[in-house]
Amino acid sequence: MAEKIQLGWIDYSNEHRNKVMAVLHALSAPDAVDEIGIGVIRDGFADILFPGTSTVQTRAKYFFIVPYILMELEREKNITTRSLIDKLGKTEIELIKTLNKDDVDGVIGRRAGSKLKRKPSSIYWNGLRTFGIFKYNNLSLDGYARAVCGIKEHKNQLSSYGHEEKGAKSDDADVMQGDTLGGFWRCILPKPNWKEDISINLKYEEAKYLRERIIKAEASKDSLFAFILKNNYKEVLDNTEFDAIGDLLPLSDNIKVDYDMAKNFGKFIYGANIRYNVILSNNKNQEAMEAWKMWINSAFVKNEFAGYDFYQVIKRLKIGNGKLIRFLSRWKEKVVTGNIDEIDNLIIEREIELKGKERAKLKNSKAYVYKQGDWLGGGSLQYRLKNAQRLMVDIYSGLEGEND
């Protein structure tokens, strides 16, 4: 039995805690463990092609639930930074039962309930900033809470001196800030009783607005995500694999460059993941064995990667990890020469480099015991396409309710 490792940290702030929880959730998600250390490339392309998404996002409705709660909290009197964050979390937990009343998929906390550690606000905060729903893209959730309380204190001081500050008008047609405190939001305003009939499904006006934000926001407007939504390419929503998108859609030149680069890297590195599982099972994983035969036939017999330039990826994503670059260089060298023993040794060495001998699973029976059917490290790289598909399904389902 593998030794259990306990993790701990000093909880300096809510923001710091959320960062730690993000790592732990990523490691516990299915197929999310990066056994060969290429996650920085996978995530880099995912941020370019599907910005604002993450592997732990579930439904598009949370892009509205979170700001709805916060816009209400902004109006409360005598609220502090700590109490704002606490009330946000409490409200998120209170909504779990209502959202899950029909036992639908994607409700965050449906199993954990009141014990939910990572709330929707931390999961969706980056997306809210990316799509410009929250207007200040460099402000953390904690920073926002401090700003709200700072503005309130400033207004109270002005009021105590008999001065009333007039709100500034915005020339941004997309801003629907209503009477919110500091103009932090570019969002539809919640109705007074919005919690009473809340559903995990998007209403028509929400679906329309989220689609527009993804298409228009500076950080996402040139992405594959926005391209699909702008042109209503619904054919990519149903179980489409990442590698098939280029054949299905007439990609624009700038998107095609990044897409092709990501697709080619995925093919190049997929062999390492396959071979990892062959070694892990000591040649007992038949799925991995068959996949390896096909992959190495293309890589070595057909010499598919002899001219592959992975340095384009390094340059595009500004990768500065010398050990990763060295591994990719050696991986290409071993694949082109076709020496299986050297390929295996390289993968084993790479895992030890990443995890240390005690935690490395390959050739270490104390760290891991293979069970029939096990496959670690996921399949071919999808770059968060599946997460984006779920969000787009929600958007288009909401748009179909125009006449409801």
Side-chain angles (χ1 to χ4, degrees), residues 116-325:
L116 179 66
K117 298 299 183 183
R118 194 174 182 208
K119 311 296 194 301
S121 50
S122 66
I123 293 172
Y124 284 78
W125 191 255
N126 179 62
L128 289 168
R129 294 185 299 185
T130 299
F131 304 143
I133 297 172
F134 183 77
K135 294 169 63 178
Y136 300 94
N137 61 5
N138 291 323
L139 202 59
S140 67
L141 180 56
D142 277 1
Y144 156 75
R146 288 192 293 270
V148 167
C149 295
I151 292 172
K152 278 184 172 290
E153 184 178 355
H154 176 66
K155 285 180 175 289
N156 288 337
Q157 289 177 346
L158 290 176
S159 179
S160 68
Y161 290 115
H163 176 74
E164 294 293 332
E165 188 177 31
K166 295 182 179 180
K169 294 183 178 180
S170 171
D171 59 358
D172 188 341
D174 285 334
V175 175
M176 303 182 202
Q177 64 186 37
D179 61 347
T180 56
L181 184 66
F184 292 103
W185 299 100
R186 186 185 281 109
C187 186
I188 298 170
L189 289 171
K191 296 179 180 179
N193 62 343
W194 67 273
K195 295 193 196 77
E196 295 178 7
D197 63 345
I198 187 71
S199 165
I200 198 65
N201 300 314
L202 291 176
K203 294 183 178 180
Y204 171 76
E205 63 270 20
E206 293 170 334
K208 181 174 182 290
Y209 192 69
L210 181 57
R211 177 179 178 271
E212 289 175 352
R213 288 313 315 154
I214 295 171
I215 292 171
K216 291 181 178 181
E218 189 66 29
S220 59
K221 66 179 182 180
D222 296 322
S223 67
L224 178 56
F225 197 9
F227 178 79
I228 293 171
L229 286 170
K230 183 177 182 179
N231 294 284
N232 295 318
Y233 289 130
K234 298 180 184 179
E235 58 266 39
V236 306
L237 301 186
D238 298 327
N239 299 317
T240 301
E241 296 292 311
F242 181 81
D243 287 359
I245 288 179
D247 296 325
L248 287 173
L249 305 182
L251 301 177
S252 61
D253 290 343
N254 62 318
I255 294 176
K256 182 172 173 55
V257 169
D258 286 324
Y259 171 81
D260 286 344
M261 200 178 298
K263 179 180 177 179
N264 291 335
F265 178 79
K267 288 182 177 179
F268 170 68
I269 204 62
Y270 184 38
N273 181 245
I274 298 171
R275 194 64 198 175
Y276 180 93
N277 282 278
V278 170
I279 303 169
L280 186 71
S281 69
N282 194 23
N283 299 322
K284 294 176 182 178
N285 187 327
Q286 292 303 311
E287 180 185 358
M289 293 291 289
E290 290 300 318
W292 176 254
K293 288 178 183 178
M294 294 177 62
W295 189 90
I296 198 62
N297 180 63
S298 295
F300 177 60
V301 179
K302 295 181 181 179
N303 211 23
E304 183 176 349
F305 298 116
Y308 176 65
D309 183 9
F310 70 86
Y311 282 103
Q312 289 183 340
V313 172
I314 301 302
K315 183 178 180 180
R316 175 68 178 96
L317 301 180
K318 300 178 181 178
I319 303 296
N321 187 325
K323 291 181 179 180
L324 172 57
I325 296 171

Side-chain angles (χ1 to χ4, degrees), residues 16 22 79 162 227 310 353 391:
H16 180 255
I79 196 166
F227 178 79
F310 70 86
E353 180 179 65
L391 300 178

